[in-house]
Amino acid sequence: MKYNTRNIGIIAHVDAGKTTLTERLLYYTGMIHKIGNVDEGNTTMDKDIQEKNRGITISSAAISTQWKKEDDLFSINIIDTPGHIDFAVEVERSLRVLDSVVAVFCASSGVQPQTENVWFQAEKHGISKICFINKMDRIGADFFSVVNEIRTKLNAVPLVLQIPIGSEDRFEGVIDLITQKALYWIDENGETIVEKEIPENYLAETGEFRVKLMETLAESDDVFFEAFLDAENTVTEKMLVDAVTRTCQSGSLVPVLCGSAFKNKGVQPLLDAVVTYLPAPDQLARIKAKDTKTERTVELERNEEEVFSGLVFKVVIDKHMGKLAMLRIYSGSIQSGDAVQNVRTGDSFRISRILQIQSDKTLPVEKGRAGDIVALTGIKDAKTGDSLSSLACPVLLESITIPDPVIRVSIEPKTNADEKSFGIVLAKIQEEDPSLVVERDRQTGETLLSGLGELHLEVTLEKIRLNHGIEINQGEPKVSYREILTETRKHREKLSKQNGGSGQFADITFEIGPRENNEPGLEFINRIKGGVIPGEFIPSVEKGFREAMENGPIGGNPLESMKVVLLDGSAHSNDSNAQDFEIAAKDGFRAIGNSCRPKLMEPIMQVEIQTIEEYTGVVTADLNKRRGIITSIDDKSGRKIFTAEVPLASTFGYISDLRTLASGRATISMKFSHYALVPDFIANTLIT
């Protein structure tokens, strides 16, 4: 069976035009019959009340549509992802299950810090990319400058397939370098495309960029290189298309197109590029999974004949249908009534219904096949990252990485009457968004909500109010600090208890301190010789230290990293068991941790500020006041661009403060960069 399916995501920074572009993709594919507008809050993909009010995407939305190119009909599953850093988990879990992305760039503002963030998330998953330089009609639009930024800032090799005809308010259309034709959109809705000869004043530029296109392909594709060198061989359109497809799918080159989604120009060629150059599910490498019976890695074919495997990448709680598990099917197929297994829990269940998601609507389908993205009902205990598989052959797929929260706030319902439903609602929002953490402060008894940023928490609390009718009292935002050990110490910890019958015994000597390479997590080195501690107890020692890292010696914050070398010890033939060694490790950490000169670490944000020359002084002074370190100041299109590293604790309320400082003539974008030591003079005020 030939898979005419494409699973694509739309990724970009805030305000690059992702949702507007998605709206046009749906309009030209016939999925919708009226074009919505982000400013008017009536787009197909932004259905949440807050998405309409704020004009941003908060939750990734999925929809299926179809596009006909020549005689072939293609199914396209589209996921429109958020652009704001606070909703990074939405991008991460979408990219985990997609085969390719369309990366959208604003022709005026170019590559932003958040563009880098989502781009490198896509790189991590090794998926194919196409670039669409949007907003060619905007003041300051510069196609070639953005192409250069894709090369320098994203470390990619852009393959220019189109060049624009004009820019800003003179943007008229595009020149296709493969067909060597000029394309114009002549009606208001952009449905009629007129193909003309290339304007005379663009002939030289077109020739130059077409040669560059062929040279770039020849450098990356051996098949095209041979044809390109052969003087007797005329390079045909098909040869170019085939070479672009190979290099795009291998990830060596990134095709670049342009247009203006808002002005309805350039969208149909993008759809053609999606179905031509991006891979179908069965064109990808076999899916790797772990056979839970044998613990071996197995490779599954991405077709219907293979055993069933799928990954739950999102859980949605719908007020009408209950819990929906969004599933990417990687191999095999499923039908309503089939029994499948949740590999994490080991439980099996019958699938009630299989649904195709159409933004906020659903469509029942008979069958889900390899390559499909569907929603299932009837799965009680599904969580983001769960593997579903056939009962006969349970396999575990690679899960989804959930970033750690960096900010928290204390919350409580305003009225006692809401106390019971408050707990239920918090459990629901955690199910839907695993990057939120709800915990109770052991000292104060307060309920703490942790998330990825101020906006993330603000949106969550607003959701509780709007969707569940619970008014919330909240405290001031607090930073999620980490701790680190700065000196190495040697320690012996002995656990010896007799309580009638078999006792408890564990004896360990270890060195504990900082890791040399500052890598996060635990580096555990076992130097036990002669079996003085039986081998089966060593993993328990490591587990004890790993769990101890969750509560650092200063203020109970998690440790960012730690190195433990297990040097010596002893065990009792009758009284020792695995848990004793786990307890000894935890007790040993608590006993010696304070002697290792622990220090506090804080999250540092990479900040980019764009403003005009006039406000350079006030922006610089304000960054210094916030303990910011300016790493670069650049000029672009008459604007000053500051890149700085600023502690998260100093960024609360920064967006509104900056607007006031620069009279509304500055924009800011932030992304998490790394953890760094808190200066002593500040740490002393934080440690009580």
Side-chain angles (χ1 to χ4, degrees):
M1 170 189 168
K2 182 173 166 55
Y3 279 78
N4 273 359
T5 301
R6 300 293 182 272
N7 292 314
I8 66 165
I10 312 290
I11 62 168
H13 67 83
V14 176
D15 202 33
K18 293 182 308 303
T19 302
T20 301
L21 175 62
T22 307
E23 192 74 4
R24 291 344 183 239
L25 294 175
L26 297 179
Y27 178 73
Y28 296 124
T29 55
M31 175 53 62
I32 59 173
H33 303 292
K34 184 176 183 294
I35 297 174
N37 189 323
V38 172
D39 294 337
E40 292 168 16
N42 61 354
T43 60
T44 306
M45 301 303 260
D46 286 351
K47 286 300 181 190
D48 182 86
I49 302 168
Q50 290 193 74
E51 290 182 321
K52 291 179 179 183
N53 293 344
R54 295 172 187 268
I56 61 169
T57 301
I58 291 168
S59 178
S60 55
I63 198 161
S64 300
T65 188
Q66 293 184 320
W67 178 245
K68 192 170 184 183
K69 187 185 178 210
E70 294 161 359
D71 295 327
D72 291 322
L73 186 66
F74 296 86
S75 293
I76 307 176
N77 295 316
I78 302 171
I79 296 184
D80 174 25
T81 64
H84 201 285
I85 182 65
D86 284 21
F87 310 110
V89 74
E90 288 289 337
V91 182
E92 176 64 28
R93 59 185 174 184
S94 299
L95 292 177
R96 171 65 185 82
V97 297
L98 290 168
D99 303 329
S100 46
V101 293
V102 174
V104 185
F105 300 81
C106 170
S108 174
S109 56
V111 175
Q112 302 277 293
Q114 179 56 8
T115 320
E116 295 173 26
N117 232 34
V118 294
W119 183 275
F120 293 123
Q121 277 179 283
E123 283 279 284
K124 182 179 77 177
H125 293 290
I127 55 183
S128 305
K129 297 175 283 293
I130 284 179
C131 296
F132 182 72
I133 298 177
N134 192 26
K135 301 193 177 186
M136 280 304 306
D137 58 309
R138 181 172 271 199
I139 292 168
D142 188 337
F143 174 80
F144 300 106
S145 169
V146 180
V147 170
N148 191 49
E149 285 187 2
I150 292 168
R151 180 182 295 106
T152 55
K153 291 188 177 181
L154 302 180
N155 201 24
V157 184
L159 184 69
V160 175
L161 302 186
Q162 297 174 342
I163 58 172
I165 302 171
S167 65
E168 301 182 338
D169 56 359
R170 297 184 306 282
F171 176 62
E172 294 179 60
V174 301
I175 293 167
D176 187 320
L177 297 176
I178 291 179
T179 62
Q180 299 186 85
K181 295 289 181 186
L183 307 177
Y184 299 89
W185 284 261
I186 59 170
D187 58 59
E188 194 180 330
N189 281 348
E191 290 175 75
T192 310
I193 306 172
V194 174
E195 199 177 88
K196 294 185 179 179
E197 293 304 313
I198 296 165
E200 206 156 303
N201 56 331
Y202 277 90
L203 283 171
E205 192 176 27
T206 302
E208 178 192 334
F209 274 92
R210 195 166 195 268
V211 169
K212 270 189 193 171
L213 166 69
M214 292 192 284
E215 286 174 348
T216 307
L217 283 170
E219 285 169 12
S220 297
D221 186 74
D222 292 341
V223 177
F224 186 79
F225 175 72
E226 289 177 20
F228 187 58
L229 281 187
D230 188 347
E232 294 177 13
N233 201 355
T234 305
V235 173
T236 63
E237 271 184 41
K238 185 178 185 310
M239 286 162 62
L240 284 168
V241 167
D242 289 349
V244 175
T245 304
R246 285 191 298 270
T247 53
C248 173
Q249 292 186 11
S250 72
S252 56
L253 302 178
V254 186
V256 182
L257 297 88
C258 63
S260 166
F262 184 67
K263 292 289 176 72
N264 308 315
K265 293 176 180 176
V267 181
Q268 296 95 327
L270 176 62
L271 279 162
D272 283 343
V274 162
V275 299
T276 305
Y277 304 128
L278 295 178
D282 63 338
Q283 292 174 311
L284 298 165
R286 292 173 178 180
I287 189 80
K288 287 186 177 168
K290 186 168 83 173
D291 185 322
T292 57
K293 291 177 182 174
T294 64
E295 294 291 307
R296 289 182 181 166
T297 299
V298 293
E299 292 189 348
L300 304 174
E301 297 282 356
R302 295 175 183 251
N303 59 38
E304 276 190 68
E305 290 69 45
E306 185 62 88
V307 295
F308 163 67
S309 70
L311 187 77
V312 176
F313 66 96
K314 188 172 181 177
V315 172
V316 178
I317 298 169
D318 184 272
K319 56 186 172 188
H320 303 300
M321 287 179 288
K323 195 170 185 177
L324 295 177
M326 304 278 285
L327 182 77
R328 164 67 196 265
I329 303 173
Y330 282 101
S331 62
S333 64
I334 46 170
Q335 290 178 281
S336 297
D338 280 359
V340 297
Q341 182 180 112
N342 183 331
V343 182
R344 176 181 61 85
T345 63
D347 295 337
S348 60
F349 54 87
R350 290 205 178 275
I351 296 165
S352 304
R353 296 166 77 203
I354 303 171
L355 304 166
Q356 193 179 69
I357 299 292
Q358 303 290 38
S359 185
D360 64 333
K361 298 182 179 66
T362 56
L363 195 69
V365 290
E366 288 289 311
K367 191 176 186 180
R369 299 175 172 83
D372 286 349
I373 292 175
V374 295
L376 304 182
T377 63
I379 307 178
K380 290 193 178 102
D381 191 29
K383 289 185 176 175
T384 296
D386 279 357
S387 296
L388 304 186
S389 67
S390 69
L391 302 182
C393 184
V395 291
L396 192 65
L397 299 165
E398 183 192 338
S399 192
I400 293 170
T401 308
I402 307 296
D404 292 328
V406 294
I407 179 175
R408 65 183 187 273
V409 68
S410 63
I411 55 171
E412 63 178 14
K414 279 190 176 175
T415 64
N416 291 336
D418 285 329
E419 194 72 48
K420 187 180 176 186
S421 52
F422 179 59
I424 295 167
V425 167
L426 288 179
K428 274 185 182 178
I429 63 166
Q430 267 191 290
E431 272 195 278
E432 292 194 307
D433 183 351
S435 63
L436 290 167
V437 175
V438 178
E439 57 197 340
R440 192 165 283 275
D441 189 304
R442 290 189 300 275
Q443 293 171 324
T444 65
E446 293 175 307
T447 299
L448 300 175
L449 177 69
S450 303
L452 301 178
E454 270 190 291
L455 183 62
H456 189 207
L457 294 184
E458 188 186 312
V459 163
T460 301
L461 296 175
E462 187 75 350
K463 187 185 283 185
I464 294 171
R465 188 180 70 79
L466 289 172
N467 298 4
H468 303 282
I470 300 174
E471 294 293 337
I472 301 280
N473 287 327
Q474 67 182 84
E476 290 297 312
K478 296 174 186 172
V479 173
S480 292
Y481 290 97
R482 300 261 176 102
E483 298 179 23
I484 196 164
L485 308 180
T486 62
E487 290 184 3
T488 300
R489 294 280 182 270
K490 188 174 175 180
H491 180 73
R492 181 185 181 191
E493 186 68 28
K494 188 175 178 182
L495 171 72
S496 181
K497 287 183 183 176
Q498 285 296 330
N499 43 17
S502 62
Q504 289 179 280
F505 184 89
D507 175 20
I508 55 173
T509 301
F510 58 89
E511 260 185 8
I512 184 170
R515 289 182 70 162
E516 288 151 24
N517 53 10
N518 289 324
E519 287 286 309
L522 173 67
E523 181 184 5
F524 181 79
I525 299 169
N526 175 23
R527 293 220 175 115
I528 293 295
K529 290 187 173 67
V532 289
I533 298 176
E536 66 264 28
F537 295 154
I538 303 296
S540 298
V541 178
E542 182 176 356
K543 185 185 175 194
F545 281 115
R546 199 174 294 284
E547 289 184 4
M549 286 179 73
E550 292 172 15
N551 293 289
I554 300 176
N557 306 291
L559 253 70
E560 173 72 353
S561 71
M562 183 171 83
K563 179 181 178 181
V564 173
V565 183
L566 185 58
L567 301 167
D568 200 0
S570 62
H572 193 282
S573 56
N574 293 325
D575 291 350
S576 292
N577 64 48
Q579 197 173 9
D580 298 342
F581 281 89
E582 192 179 318
I583 293 167
K586 290 177 184 175
D587 290 348
F589 173 82
R590 281 193 285 269
I592 197 65
N594 266 314
S595 303
C596 299
R597 290 198 61 213
K599 294 204 170 213
L600 268 188
M601 301 188 80
E602 62 183 341
I604 304 294
M605 308 301 284
Q606 185 187 325
V607 175
E608 183 175 289
I609 298 165
Q610 291 197 21
T611 187
I612 55 174
E613 179 85 42
E614 185 182 335
Y615 296 106
T616 299
V618 292
V619 168
T620 304
D622 189 58
L623 282 168
N624 290 336
K625 190 177 79 178
R626 294 173 188 273
R627 295 192 288 128
I629 298 168
I630 296 171
T631 52
S632 69
I633 304 176
D634 297 313
D635 288 286
K636 181 183 172 185
S637 306
R639 291 173 76 79
K640 288 281 180 191
I641 299 170
F642 295 80
T643 307
E645 292 181 346
V646 185
L648 174 68
S650 305
T651 65
F652 297 151
Y654 194 10
I655 293 171
S656 55
D657 290 353
L658 185 66
R659 278 199 199 107
T660 306
L661 276 174
S663 307
R665 302 190 68 183
T667 60
I668 180 171
S669 58
M670 286 187 272
K671 69 174 183 177
F672 171 72
S673 175
H674 61 282
Y675 271 86
L677 287 173
V678 178
D680 287 342
F681 73 93
I682 287 177
N684 294 336
T685 67
L686 297 169
I687 301 165
T688 52

